[in-house]
Amino acid sequence: MTTNRRVRAVVRVVGAAVLGVSAAAGCGRAQTSTAYEPRGAAELSQLVDGLGMTARVLVIGAHPDDEDTRLIAYLARGRHAETAYLSLTRGDGGQNLIGNELGEALGAIRTEELLAARRIDGGHQYFTRAFDFGFSKTAAETFEHWPRDTVLGDVVRVVRAFRPHVVIAIFSGTPADGHGHHQASGILAREAYDAAADTVRFPVAQFGAAWSVGKFYRNTSYRGEETATLRYNAGAYDPVLGRSYAEIAAISRSQHKSQGQGTPERKGVSIVSMRREATRVNAETPANAERDLFDGIDTTVFRGRALAGLDVPEARVDSLNAAIAEVQRTLDVRHPERVLPALLRARADEIAVHPVRIRGESRASDRPGYDEAPQQVSTRVDRALALASGLSVEADAPREVVAIGDSIPLVVTVYNRGRVPIAVTSVQFAGWSHNFSPGVGDRDGVFPPVVAPDSSVRVTLPERATATEGPKDVVAWSVTQPAWLIEPRAGDLYRDPLHFVVADATRGSQTVNRAVAIVGFALVPSGRADAVRGDAVMSTVAPVVFRRVDPVRGEVDRPLAIAPAIGVTLDRAVMYARANAPLDRIVTVHLRSASTGARTAVVRLALPAGLTADSATRTVTLAGYDASAAVDFRVRGTLRPGRTVLRASAASNGEQFATGYQLIEYSHIRPQRVYRPAETAIEAVDVALPAHASVAYVPGVGDNVAPTLADLGLPVTVLDSTALGAGDLSKYTHLVIGPRAYDANPALAANNARLMDWVRRGGTMVVQYGQYEMTRPGVMPYPITLARPAQRVTLEQSPVTVLDAAAGVLAMPNRIGAADWQGWVQERSTYMPQTADPRYRPAIAIEDPGEAPNPNGILVAPLGRGTYVYVTLALFRQLPAGVPGAARLMANLLAARAPAVNAEAAHPATGR
């Protein structure tokens, strides 16, 4: 065994606010397992095969799930081109098939789903600052929300950072794309191709060094291939990966679980296609005469050396090319150590050709026209060396969360599972590092520890700290959270405090303080640590994780997170109250400790005028790490109509705490913590309720409606599948079905006939919108039809026309007027029926500008002695947002009564 000295040093949880580290060697354990990621021989083979390929391709779309994963997998895995997807948004405005997170929390989920997809298909991932504000019908409307030049500037910044040779737009930039965001992405992709080299319009100081993209294409795979000028078979089988690129793409696409994008892994031919629209490199070749995407582009190793200003002898470049050829010739996946000499030679040649990387000279990449080919080669060579040497690094923490200001012991273990000794030259974490100086030993005269084959070295970073053992200018850790959520949005644009727009979210992270350990290492075939030279040192990173064993899932690795010593949260961000009516409600303040020591916390509420609590403060003791407490205050009083804010805080050890996080955790993505202030907006609304109501609620997709009904004073019971099938429904007067519940809840569809019988006996059933499943026989009592695409009213300010002022649904128990349609969020209505059976009585007509009015937003029909209401208005967004008119309208929908008609008896259940 080699030296296994435990280095005693200090890690206090301080450091730079962002760990901007690239996972160069890729040897740390993944923080979450995915269905498919190349490892071992497959990953090494991919790297070696791609050493001589330096082309880069940027694919641009609007949302998560817009990307053509077959194209990305084919280019990244099959052609070994560095391929990236730029999504203008994070999908914040969509819906959620796997939980009830919406808005910014949903954007965090979809961001991580994109990163999970890229880990599988091999691409990189970028974003702009654009917030997904919901469905848009035109590019013009979209640019009213996203300042066009601002978002174009973000796209230019990404182009200049990634420096693609080819840009491929997913969308055409025309109304044929449908969604206005899609149209905008197609427009901005072409404008960025045209403008990325324009340093007058986009100055270098703000947008990075100029870059001229060689070619511009539009993807035609999903819009017919009649205009395509290039076609590739993504269904080609890769025997090393064990799948075709289309199969890998299907696994990648299936990571978009919040959007229900599970995709079959079909074998066989699978054509991806594109159309060349512009070129700067081979204009003499007609688009339909091109043979390859990279025609006219030099994809070899050092085409950019002259532009980079590197004075390198041609012989040295030839030597590097020869070394790469030797690597590819000598790779033996069963004996990867045999390729190490050739890889080391390639690395030495690359350093000689591109000395800036080692000597710390001014960054060549700041120079106009600089090409990233040298860095691509060095990154791939270093990763290949780590894989071929059998290096593996694990960084373990004893708990999942560490409090700001606390310290934590970390154990970094370096495993040598190969056949050549490895010297550990440094271990770094945050603001702390320990270096073993190659050739001379560390400050104690100890040479780098050498890890012999089939052995390991463990470096322990203990708990206690002194002020002298870290950098003097380190910044205290902030909490671990999505970088784009640190500051509030400016309208429909995120702010960019940490330059996340130009961050490669796949190779680094767009999460602040995603903790990683960085290990420097060198191969020492002689086994002598004193032989290590500085230019032989490489680095790898490992996520710092807390490991636990789940009896079902096995080992579960959770990334270390930084959190406040005490997190303070309230159950809801917005709640309703009835205006000018007595309010008597329990407000629960949730506390969670991240501190290792016991803490006493004094909890208090700051109440709006008109409300008082049963106690000014509550005092609780949190026993230690992960201890939690729920502190109840009884709040009473009355509120005038309007919105006020209730705030909670906790004082402990001289500190004030008033924020907490929502933990977002699903098995297919890395966990995220979304922080918000411990405050609740209370919307006091003047609303009358149906008398003697008892409401049963069947949840739908992304559904947070039931708690808002309870806020208004309605007794609400959430029904599960057992209650739908065999429960006693007679005790309920009203049944409310959540949005898209028939699509998401198989038990609902299976028991729908039972629910219809309940309505016939006199109940009132309110069904929120569904999609095309609502047209199936038996789902609704009378038939409807939906156009393709279905009609939406996307402008939340769109006018509402009352069709029947005397209709009970608009008159009782609340008179619905113009004020009730104000203050709506994101949209008016979605998936509105194109036609409806005449037994439905429409109440309103709504439309977006320039479109024909649609009368099917609220449909009321008799069913036996009961009433059936179908509503496509976006109440699932309005009610959780506390829109006053939505609460009044929902009360009326519950109170709706339709007169019985004889025709129903002749058309049971299906309406036919």
Side-chain angles (χ1 to χ4, degrees):
M1 289 290 291
T2 58
T3 304
N4 191 8
R5 184 175 186 268
R6 293 191 175 186
V7 180
R8 291 288 175 180
V10 176
V11 176
R12 186 168 176 80
V13 183
V14 294
V18 178
L19 285 175
V21 179
S22 172
C27 294
R29 284 182 71 104
Q31 293 174 353
T32 184
S33 61
T34 55
Y36 174 81
E37 290 182 50
R39 287 188 176 186
E43 184 180 1
L44 179 58
S45 178
Q46 285 264 296
L47 288 169
V48 169
D49 288 348
L51 282 182
M53 174 58 156
T54 57
R56 295 182 299 280
V57 180
L58 180 65
V59 180
I60 300 177
H63 308 107
D65 91 340
D66 284 347
E67 79 272 34
D68 186 339
T69 54
R70 295 181 305 153
L71 176 63
I72 294 173
Y74 170 77
L75 291 173
R77 298 292 187 198
R79 299 295 300 276
H80 308 296
E82 293 289 327
T83 308
Y85 175 54
L86 168 60
S87 177
L88 298 189
T89 76
R90 299 172 186 272
D92 331 68
Q95 295 178 38
N96 184 359
L97 292 183
I98 60 175
N100 63 356
E101 298 91 349
L102 293 175
E104 293 173 341
L106 177 59
I109 291 173
R110 292 190 173 178
T111 294
E112 285 296 327
E113 288 179 335
L114 275 173
L115 300 186
R118 297 295 82 80
R119 288 192 291 270
I120 291 166
D121 59 35
H124 303 249
Q125 183 63 51
Y126 292 92
F127 299 92
T128 74
R129 289 173 290 170
F131 174 74
D132 181 352
F133 57 85
F135 191 87
S136 171
K137 293 182 178 178
T138 66
E141 179 197 348
T142 296
F143 288 131
E144 290 177 4
H145 291 260
W146 303 341
R148 183 166 179 165
D149 284 350
T150 301
V151 180
L152 173 59
D154 285 356
V155 179
V156 168
R157 288 171 69 193
V158 171
V159 169
R160 291 184 177 182
F162 185 64
R163 294 183 167 94
H165 304 98
V166 177
V167 166
I168 303 174
I170 292 291
F171 296 104
S172 67
T174 70
D177 297 328
H179 201 316
H181 298 180
H182 295 171
Q183 299 175 45
S185 74
I187 293 168
L188 294 174
R190 177 56 196 265
E191 290 183 353
Y193 169 82
D194 293 334
D198 186 345
T199 57
V200 175
R201 186 178 179 188
F202 297 102
V204 170
Q206 182 178 357
F207 296 93
W211 179 256
S212 180
V213 181
K215 302 164 80 173
F216 181 83
Y217 291 80
R218 293 199 188 271
N219 183 279
T220 59
S221 296
Y222 303 115
R223 289 183 297 278
E225 297 182 23
E226 64 278 0
T227 63
T229 58
L230 280 178
R231 296 174 177 83
Y232 294 105
N233 177 22
Y237 177 70
D238 189 315
V240 173
L241 297 177
R243 287 178 168 91
S244 71
Y245 308 115
E247 289 176 277
I248 294 170
I251 303 170
S252 169
R253 189 162 193 82
S254 294
Q255 303 311 302
H256 296 303
K257 299 183 189 303
S258 67
Q259 302 185 72
Q261 290 291 310
T263 303
E265 300 171 37
R266 293 193 176 97
K267 298 174 175 62
V269 173
S270 181
I271 301 299
V272 295
S273 62
M274 63 206 77
R275 181 185 74 252
R276 195 186 81 189
E277 188 173 291
T279 180
R280 295 186 174 99
V281 295
N282 64 336
E284 70 284 354
T285 303
N288 58 9
E290 278 194 329
R291 304 175 73 85
D292 187 68
L293 184 69
F294 304 115
D295 279 0
I297 297 171
D298 183 355
T299 64
T300 58
V301 173
F302 278 98
R303 60 176 178 273
R305 65 185 183 278
L307 291 174
L310 301 176
D311 184 14
V312 178
E314 198 71 30
R316 196 74 194 199
V317 176
D318 291 341
S319 178
L320 174 59
N321 287 324
I324 289 173
E326 179 68 13
V327 169
Q328 294 171 336
R329 183 168 55 254
T330 59
L331 176 62
D332 181 342
V333 294
R334 289 196 174 275
H335 295 279
E337 73 280 358
R338 293 175 181 171
V339 80
L340 289 174
L343 280 169
L344 289 170
R345 174 187 161 194
R347 188 174 191 274
D349 285 338
E350 189 278 324
I351 291 172
V353 171
H354 188 226
V356 173
R357 184 168 67 92
I358 294 298
R359 295 205 299 263
E361 299 172 6
S362 61
R363 291 180 64 242
S365 56
D366 290 335
R367 306 173 191 174
Y370 175 77
D371 195 290
E372 291 290 339
Q375 189 61 45
Q376 280 178 243
V377 175
S378 67
T379 297
R380 288 178 175 177
V381 168
D382 281 5
R383 289 172 63 195
L385 278 164
L387 283 167
S389 66
L391 174 72
S392 181
V393 177
E394 292 182 347
D396 294 290
R399 57 186 186 272
E400 183 181 340
V401 180
V402 60
I404 295 173
D406 271 1
S407 54
I408 189 170
L410 301 179
V411 176
V412 178
T413 308
V414 180
Y415 297 92
N416 184 352
R417 301 192 289 183
R419 295 178 174 87
V420 174
I422 297 171
V424 178
T425 60
S426 64
V427 178
Q428 301 177 51
F429 173 75
W432 177 92
S433 66
H434 185 93
N435 296 292
F436 301 96
S437 302
V440 297
D442 68 0
R443 58 176 174 257
D444 299 320
V446 177
F447 289 106
V450 174
V451 191
D454 295 323
S455 67
S456 63
V457 164
R458 178 172 297 175
V459 179
T460 301
L461 288 56
E463 297 185 38
R464 290 301 164 193
T466 65
T468 61
E469 290 189 292
K472 301 297 188 295
D473 58 349
V474 294
V475 180
W477 282 92
S478 59
V479 298
T480 302
Q481 63 177 319
W484 64 96
L485 297 180
I486 292 175
E487 297 183 3
R489 291 197 319 271
D492 288 318
L493 287 179
Y494 287 112
R495 301 181 191 272
D496 189 12
L498 301 173
H499 306 293
F500 64 78
V501 164
V502 295
D504 179 349
T506 314
R507 298 299 181 259
S509 176
Q510 292 196 325
T511 299
V512 179
N513 289 340
R514 175 114 38 209
V516 297
I518 309 167
V519 174
F521 70 97
L523 303 183
V524 284
S526 67
R528 292 185 55 193
D530 58 355
V532 177
R533 301 196 333 261
D535 59 2
V537 175
M538 297 163 278
S539 67
T540 185
V541 301
V544 180
V545 300
F546 167 67
R547 304 180 197 278
R548 64 179 177 86
V549 177
D550 182 276
V552 175
R553 297 170 60 190
E555 181 177 311
V556 177
D557 299 350
R558 300 295 305 272
L560 177 68
I562 315 302
I566 296 178
V568 184
T569 57
L570 295 170
D571 290 325
R572 309 258 296 285
V574 180
M575 66 172 62
Y576 283 114
R578 294 180 65 190
N580 300 315
L583 183 148
D584 189 341
R585 189 170 298 179
I586 299 297
V587 173
T588 301
V589 182
H590 300 276
L591 306 180
R592 181 174 295 278
S593 174
S595 181
T596 54
R599 278 181 175 263
T600 298
V602 178
V603 185
R604 58 172 41 86
L605 293 183
L607 296 170
L611 298 182
T612 60
D614 58 347
S615 174
T617 63
R618 293 270 198 276
T619 301
V620 296
T621 297
L622 299 169
Y625 174 71
D626 208 32
S628 61
V631 183
D632 291 336
F633 290 85
R634 187 176 183 182
V635 175
R636 288 179 283 193
T638 58
L639 292 171
R640 295 180 179 180
R643 181 164 292 201
T644 55
V645 178
L646 176 154
R647 295 180 173 86
S649 63
S652 177
N653 293 2
E655 298 177 273
Q656 292 288 330
F657 302 94
T659 62
Y661 60 80
Q662 173 188 3
L663 177 62
I664 298 175
E665 183 176 17
Y666 294 95
S667 61
H668 66 298
I669 61 175
R670 297 176 296 190
Q672 284 279 16
R673 289 168 171 80
V674 175
Y675 281 81
R676 65 179 179 87
E679 59 185 40
T680 296
I682 305 176
E683 185 68 46
V685 56
D686 187 4
V687 58
L689 302 174
H692 310 297
S694 177
V695 179
Y697 195 96
V698 180
V701 171
D703 191 352
N704 296 293
V705 169
T708 68
L709 303 183
D711 286 347
L712 298 173
L714 291 165
V716 179
T717 301
V718 176
L719 297 187
D720 59 18
S721 57
T722 301
L724 287 172
D728 179 12
L729 300 179
S730 64
K731 58 187 176 182
Y732 305 113
T733 59
H734 297 78
L735 179 60
V736 181
I737 309 298
R740 294 181 63 184
Y742 284 95
D743 183 34
N745 188 341
L748 175 60
N751 292 286
N752 195 51
R754 183 172 187 256
L755 304 185
M756 292 295 180
D757 287 340
W758 174 86
V759 178
R760 288 188 179 88
R761 291 193 292 270
T764 298
M765 184 173 180
V766 178
V767 179
Q768 297 173 71
Y769 94 99
Q771 297 184 342
Y772 295 98
E773 69 277 2
M774 304 306 295
T775 64
R776 295 198 301 261
V779 174
M780 294 180 65
Y782 316 115
I784 64 169
T785 65
L786 286 170
R788 289 186 182 270
Q791 184 173 352
R792 303 168 181 255
V793 179
T794 61
L795 295 180
E796 56 268 36
Q797 308 90 356
S798 289
V800 178
T801 301
V802 176
L803 298 178
D804 185 355
V809 74
L810 297 178
M812 298 183 296
N814 304 285
R815 177 68 63 178
I816 303 300
D820 293 301
W821 302 107
Q822 296 176 4
W824 283 45
V825 299
Q826 188 158 322
E827 57 199 341
R828 280 280 196 224
S829 188
T830 188
Y831 282 83
M832 299 179 69
Q834 185 178 33
T835 65
D837 187 283
R839 283 166 285 191
Y840 293 110
R841 184 177 184 180
I844 60 171
I846 49 178
E847 77 280 353
D848 278 329
E851 297 181 351
N854 187 312
N856 298 319
I858 301 175
L859 298 174
V860 182
L863 186 60
R865 298 193 305 273
T867 301
Y868 181 92
V869 180
Y870 186 62
V871 55
T872 64
L873 300 177
L875 297 178
F876 75 100
R877 296 197 189 278
Q878 314 313 315
L879 290 167
V883 175
R888 289 164 48 83
L889 179 60
M890 177 56 90
N892 282 23
L893 297 179
L894 291 170
R897 300 299 298 170
V901 295
N902 294 331
E904 194 279 322
H907 302 276
T910 64
R912 295 185 176 183

